[in-house]
Amino acid sequence: LNVRTRQEFYWEHCGKMSDSEYTGNMTRRLRQFAAAGIITGKNLILTMETDTAPLSIKEVEQVIKIFLV
């Protein structure tokens, strides 16, 4: 919840993007989210990482500042 704007956000972390089965399941999940009105860039925050490109705390802090503060 962005306390200032009162807008609710969902945050989905995609932590195994190196795994092709996982990415296929993630694609289906994003379609289900969209059908429920949970839309990337509107009220859905996505963060991702792979085995060789982990998500950093700096990136998480940036997302929090942009969407939630």
Side-chain angles (χ1 to χ4, degrees), residues 1-31:
L1 175 66
N2 181 316
V3 178
R4 183 177 44 79
T5 64
R6 306 304 298 168
Q7 183 178 357
E8 292 183 346
F9 288 94
Y10 294 85
W11 189 333
E12 181 73 19
H13 177 68
C14 310
K16 294 172 55 177
M17 295 303 287
S18 299
D19 180 330
S20 61
E21 184 177 343
Y22 178 89
T23 57
N25 290 335
M26 190 68 236
T27 301
R28 284 187 287 283
R29 194 172 334 154
L30 290 174
R31 287 187 186 128

